[in-house]
Amino acid sequence: MTTISKWMLITVIAIVFLPILFIWTPVLFTLSVLTGIIILKLKFPMIKGAVAEWRVNRILSALGPNYSIYHDLYVPNGDRGTAQVDHVVTSPYGIFVIETKHFQGWIFGKEDQRYWTQVIYKRKEKMFNPIWQNYGHVQALKNYIGNEDSAYFQSIIAFSSQSTLKFEDRFKSARVIQFPQLIQVIKEWNIYRISDFELREINRKLEGILIEDKKVKKIIRKQHVQTIQTNRKEKVRKEKESIQRNTCPKCKSELSLKTGKYGDFYGCSSFPKCRFTREVS
């Protein structure tokens, strides 16, 4: 049973039984509602992501027989972990790696910014640059498939229709669009680049990492999250050690203390070649 189906079933059960519970035991009814609200709040990001992937799945299914579609792949990334890729579409015209974002509000960002901004009324939230995120997914797929030909791979970031994209510049390394534009954008690539033999080999390798068993996928997902957390902690630790040695963790150049609009920060002496910065703690 998919995540969407499971939550639809839970909703139906709640609609049927909560009124009965309210009549029989009002206290238990109140506790049940409060528990449901807490669980829904905790699970909401996962549900929202599942809804976005389900919508994109339906859109991509209309591509036609020349396209093979793979969802929710865990691709070995060479760092004893995996890259979780929302959607991969293979075709004779190219390999399309799609990152979905089910966001609302205005979306601001530039290609070279580490974080983008989501604005809903006066509330602002940061998100890691999805172009950078999907770049890591593309690299993992290239290594796994064993083909470094960049002409084959196209990075696509797809936001939901509830968002408003407020970008000032055109992006060079990825297409940033909304869900309804997916078919149109993918079909812009219409020149044969991949032979039938190569395409069969690519599809065979991707089918090798498909996980149909729900329990196995749950274990893989948990391992994926744990590896990300471990790698993040290790990265932060190494970064702190490097800063303590007055060395840029990216390029090993000397760090210098600078003063900016928002206070003091450490900046790389190789700027603008290296743009590493960190706030003074």
Side-chain angles (χ1 to χ4, degrees):
M1 183 180 291
T2 65
T3 302
I4 300 292
S5 303
K6 185 165 62 177
W7 282 97
M8 286 178 66
L9 179 62
I10 291 171
T11 303
V12 170
I13 292 171
I15 291 171
V16 172
F17 287 101
L18 280 179
I20 299 171
L21 196 63
F22 175 72
I23 295 170
W24 284 354
T25 53
V27 174
L28 189 56
F29 167 81
T30 304
L31 289 174
S32 299
V33 170
L34 289 174
T35 302
I37 291 171
I38 293 169
I39 292 172
L40 184 61
K41 189 173 181 179
L42 291 173
K43 296 288 185 180
F44 184 71
M46 184 181 71
I47 298 168
K48 187 170 71 170
V51 169
E53 291 190 22
W54 174 75
R55 286 182 180 175
V56 172
N57 289 348
R58 291 195 63 184
I59 292 169
L60 294 177
S61 65
L63 276 168
N66 283 340
Y67 300 85
S68 297
I69 304 161
Y70 301 90
H71 309 294
D72 196 21
L73 294 178
Y74 288 83
V75 185
N77 62 6
D79 193 24
R80 291 184 297 177
T82 53
Q84 191 274 324
V85 185
D86 291 340
H87 310 273
V88 178
V89 176
T90 65
S91 74
Y93 320 109
I95 300 170
F96 304 91
V97 185
I98 304 167
E99 174 68 22
T100 57
K101 297 295 181 186
H102 190 52
F103 286 6
Q104 296 178 333
W106 290 4
I107 309 297
F108 296 88
K110 294 185 177 182
E111 194 157 2
D112 60 352
Q113 286 181 323
R114 184 176 182 83
Y115 294 101
W116 288 10
T117 304
Q118 175 194 26
V119 180
I120 302 177
Y121 299 109
K122 294 184 179 181
R123 181 167 60 88
K124 294 184 179 181
E125 299 287 345
K126 282 186 176 182
M127 75 179 87
F128 185 70
N129 184 334
I131 293 178
W132 292 14
Q133 181 184 7
N134 212 36
Y135 173 80
H137 299 165
V138 171
Q139 294 305 117
L141 278 164
K142 283 182 178 181
N143 294 333
Y144 175 71
I145 291 171
N147 194 318
E148 296 295 322
D149 191 340
S150 59
Y152 286 7
F153 291 86
Q154 306 298 336
S155 175
I156 298 175
I157 316 300
F159 282 87
S160 67
S161 302
Q162 286 74 40
S163 63
T164 303
L165 307 183
K166 307 288 283 186
F167 305 122
E168 297 177 359
D169 305 319
R170 290 178 62 88
F171 301 112
K172 297 177 181 178
S173 60
R175 293 291 298 272
V176 183
I177 59 173
Q178 292 177 306
F179 293 172
Q181 298 171 280
L182 268 167
I183 299 293
Q184 175 191 339
V185 168
I186 289 173
K187 291 203 170 183
E188 286 178 9
W189 284 276
N190 52 19
I191 298 172
Y192 279 81
R193 293 184 171 90
I194 305 175
S195 69
D196 290 343
F197 174 77
E198 287 178 296
L199 190 57
R200 282 196 300 270
E201 283 298 298
I202 290 168
N203 289 340
R204 182 182 62 80
K205 288 183 177 180
L206 293 180
E207 286 161 8
I209 54 173
L210 280 176
I211 306 170
E212 301 294 344
D213 189 292
K214 302 298 181 184
K215 290 182 179 179
V216 173
K217 177 163 278 193
K218 187 175 181 180
I219 293 169
I220 296 293
R221 185 180 291 116
K222 186 177 180 180
Q223 290 173 344
H224 171 73
V225 172
Q226 288 175 341
T227 302
I228 289 174
Q229 292 172 343
T230 301
N231 289 344
R232 187 176 293 140
K233 288 178 182 178
E234 182 64 12
K235 183 180 178 181
V236 169
R237 185 187 66 80
K238 288 182 177 179
E239 199 170 87
K240 285 182 178 179
E241 288 181 354
S242 186
I243 291 172
Q244 286 173 356
R245 296 194 301 268
N246 203 36
T247 303
C248 174
K250 281 190 174 181
C251 70
K252 308 305 178 186
S253 298
E254 185 179 350
L255 290 176
S256 57
L257 188 62
K258 302 177 184 293
T259 300
K261 182 179 178 181
Y262 301 104
D264 293 341
F265 66 94
Y266 292 106
C268 182
S269 59
S270 294
F271 179 87
K273 186 178 179 181
C274 177
R275 295 177 178 270
F276 174 82
T277 60
R278 274 296 175 272
E279 294 179 357
V280 177
S281 57

